[in-house]
Amino acid sequence: MDLDALRIDVDRLVGRLDALGEIGAVHGPNGERGCARLALTDADRDGRDLVVGWMHDLGLDVHVDAIGNVVGVRAGDDPTLAPVMTGSHIDTVRTGGRFDGNLGVLGGLEVVETLERHGVRTRRPIAVAFFTDEEGARFQPDMLGSLVYVGGMSLEEALDVRAADDGARLGDELARIGYAGPVPCPAASAPHAFVELHIEQGPVLEDEGVTIGVVTGVQGISWTELTITGQSAHAGTTPMRLRRDPGYVAAEITAGVRAIARQMAGTQVATVGRLEYVPNLVNVVPSRVTMTVDLRNTDEHLLQQAEHRFASLCERLAADEGVTIERRTLARFEPVEFDARMIDRVEATAQRLGHSTMRMPSGAGHDAQMLARVCPTSMIFVPSANGLSHNIAEHTDTADLQAGADVLLQVLLALANEG
Ligand code: HGY
Ligand code: MN
Ligand code: MN
């Protein structure tokens, strides 16, 4: 058989994406079909159960580790060789789409099914993984499961993380959904290589009319939670000069970090995504505000510069308004460069299959940025319609799904047959 001519079955892939997308489905007013499967919720459990069932149906040897990462392994002819790994995550944000993360896991299963159906064996085992809590929306930091998998965070520390929404302990939730697995963390050995298929989640590929993003690395991430404490007071009787208003300070910080990003330009971005007032009432000057600030840059030095300007802004506002600001780091990852040969391999494979390509960094965090600590790693991007993600309108055209999964198939085949 001419393995170079092997292609995945995109209808089968879309069928699984749709079936998984029905778990935690969120339907929008204009026909949008999104997903809400926050990490370690019942919906996450149900999604996990569905994917693990598919892994068993495909004859994979399924392993669950102590932080709930799931790895399905297809045997190779030489079991002494380290597996080639692919995968991503199946947890989503609360307003998530059907492709973020899911495409990487189900694209991996589609590669396995294609090999099975054509009776294709490989030298090395091929592993398909989904990692716990990639989004970090409920339990911070993001990429938590893959971070523990590579030894970047201790299992004990991870199990004690408290959920931002209801304060639940990660380890208790993991046990509750039945995914506190027996395999020790960190992983006993590294994969031979790791390749992740993922939607771009931004507008670049679509704007450039390019099909395959050859991902060169992932930008640095800095997540901070602020607790701003002032003095609760009557909205009608308290003169402005006597107020110590954390709500005002939160508003200035929201505008201020945006201004920092605009002034720094380049790849600097800043986001206030969570903002909670106490007591959150129309006629009460708030006593306390909790908020998050997400800063990112492809350059570590510039990211530190943004963090420094953000910290100075907080200090000035706290002094001026007479409030206290407590800071808690939720996540801090430096930018990651992927392996040059793996980048070349993705690019050459995509071009051999006749697809347009462009090299680009990832603005979003991914499990690949953790696996890059232990093995040669790269990513394959496909376009996001209107550049949307973390939005129930998230969509990728079927032709692009086919292209991305075909590149994944060919890259995995080549890696799985090398010594
Ligand atoms: O935040 C991120 O970039 C990823 O979606 N966890
Ligand atoms: Mn993702
Ligand atoms: Mn995401």
Side-chain angles (χ1 to χ4, degrees):
M1 165 184 289
D2 174 10
L3 293 182
D4 286 351
L6 207 52
R7 298 291 181 268
I8 61 104
D9 178 332
V10 74
D11 294 334
R12 196 165 51 204
L13 172 56
V14 169
R16 286 202 171 102
L17 284 165
D18 285 348
L20 181 54
E22 283 309 305
I23 298 178
V26 177
H27 295 285
N30 302 310
E32 304 92 338
R33 298 186 303 159
C35 260
R37 289 199 306 272
L38 285 171
L40 309 186
T41 57
D42 290 353
D44 186 24
R45 177 202 56 217
D46 296 348
R48 286 167 169 261
D49 291 350
L50 180 64
V51 175
V52 167
W54 285 331
M55 287 181 168
H56 286 304
D57 294 345
L58 288 169
L60 300 186
D61 190 12
V62 181
H63 307 274
V64 183
D65 75 12
I67 199 66
N69 297 319
V70 176
V71 182
V73 183
R74 179 178 193 255
D77 293 341
D78 183 348
T80 66
L81 293 175
V84 175
M85 181 179 275
T86 188
S88 190
H89 61 96
I90 59 171
D91 66 298
T92 75
V93 295
R94 190 173 288 120
T95 54
R98 297 175 162 230
F99 301 91
D100 177 0
N102 303 317
L103 175 60
V105 179
L106 301 185
L109 291 188
E110 175 51 33
V111 165
V112 166
E113 181 148 8
T114 301
L115 298 180
E116 284 295 308
R117 297 242 180 180
H118 291 82
V120 175
R121 304 304 312 162
T122 56
R123 283 190 66 189
R124 294 178 173 275
I126 290 179
V128 183
F130 61 81
F131 296 99
T132 295
D133 187 37
E134 186 279 344
E135 291 294 359
R138 185 178 179 216
F139 297 99
Q140 291 87 35
D142 53 349
M143 287 77 71
L144 181 143
S146 50
L147 183 63
V148 173
Y149 184 83
V150 300
M153 181 180 196
S154 75
L155 175 64
E156 293 69 28
E157 183 187 358
L159 293 174
D160 281 339
V161 169
R162 292 284 173 174
D165 52 4
D166 59 9
R169 178 178 170 272
L170 188 150
D172 298 343
E173 286 291 88
L174 193 63
R176 185 183 66 80
I177 68 167
Y179 276 90
V183 176
C185 292
S189 58
H192 172 63
F194 182 79
V195 190
E196 180 172 1
L197 171 62
H198 206 287
I199 55 172
E200 176 205 336
Q201 301 184 282
V204 174
L205 289 174
E206 185 178 63
D207 287 353
E208 299 295 327
V210 170
T211 304
I212 298 294
V214 180
V215 188
T216 54
V218 181
Q219 67 179 345
I221 299 176
S222 167
W223 286 1
T224 306
E225 179 187 74
L226 300 180
T227 303
I228 310 168
T229 305
Q231 184 173 65
S232 183
H234 193 296
T237 59
T238 310
M240 299 312 284
R241 61 183 170 79
L242 295 183
R243 295 183 182 209
R244 294 193 290 118
D245 182 353
Y248 157 72
V249 170
E252 286 286 345
I253 289 171
T254 302
V257 294
R258 182 180 174 95
I260 290 169
R262 283 281 171 88
Q263 288 152 19
M264 290 181 68
T267 61
Q268 184 61 48
V269 289
T271 311
V272 171
R274 179 158 66 89
L275 186 63
E276 291 152 3
Y277 282 62
V278 171
N280 204 30
L281 298 171
V282 61
N283 59 352
V284 181
V285 176
S287 57
R288 189 178 71 248
V289 173
T290 305
M291 65 190 291
T292 58
V293 174
D294 176 328
L295 300 173
R296 307 198 196 194
N297 200 300
T298 51
D299 178 293
E300 173 61 15
H301 174 68
L302 292 176
L303 182 55
Q304 288 179 19
Q305 210 179 84
E307 289 175 316
H308 177 72
R309 292 178 62 174
F310 163 46
S312 305
L313 173 68
C314 291
E315 282 157 25
R316 177 173 61 76
L317 287 165
D320 290 355
E321 185 67 13
V323 301
T324 60
I325 300 180
E326 182 193 336
R327 303 163 59 89
R328 184 162 73 98
T329 298
L330 298 178
R332 183 59 169 93
F333 300 122
E334 293 195 5
V336 166
E337 290 297 318
F338 288 144
D339 177 274
R341 284 168 307 151
M342 290 287 284
I343 294 168
D344 292 345
R345 187 190 292 269
V346 167
E347 185 175 64
T349 304
Q351 290 174 354
R352 174 169 60 82
L353 296 184
H355 300 303
S356 53
T357 64
M358 66 179 286
R359 294 190 175 208
M360 59 193 296
S362 172
H366 297 289
D367 294 309
Q369 78 191 89
M370 300 307 165
L371 272 291
R373 297 186 185 194
V374 298
C375 69
T377 294
S378 65
M379 292 186 74
I380 304 161
F381 272 176
V382 290
S384 291
N386 305 311
L388 284 180
S389 183
H390 287 190
N391 181 311
I392 63 171
E394 181 182 278
H395 177 75
T396 293
D397 289 346
T398 300
D400 294 332
L401 298 175
Q402 173 91 53
D406 281 338
V407 173
L408 180 68
L409 167 64
Q410 291 296 327
V411 169
L412 291 178
L413 258 179
L415 288 166
N417 285 321
E418 68 181 15

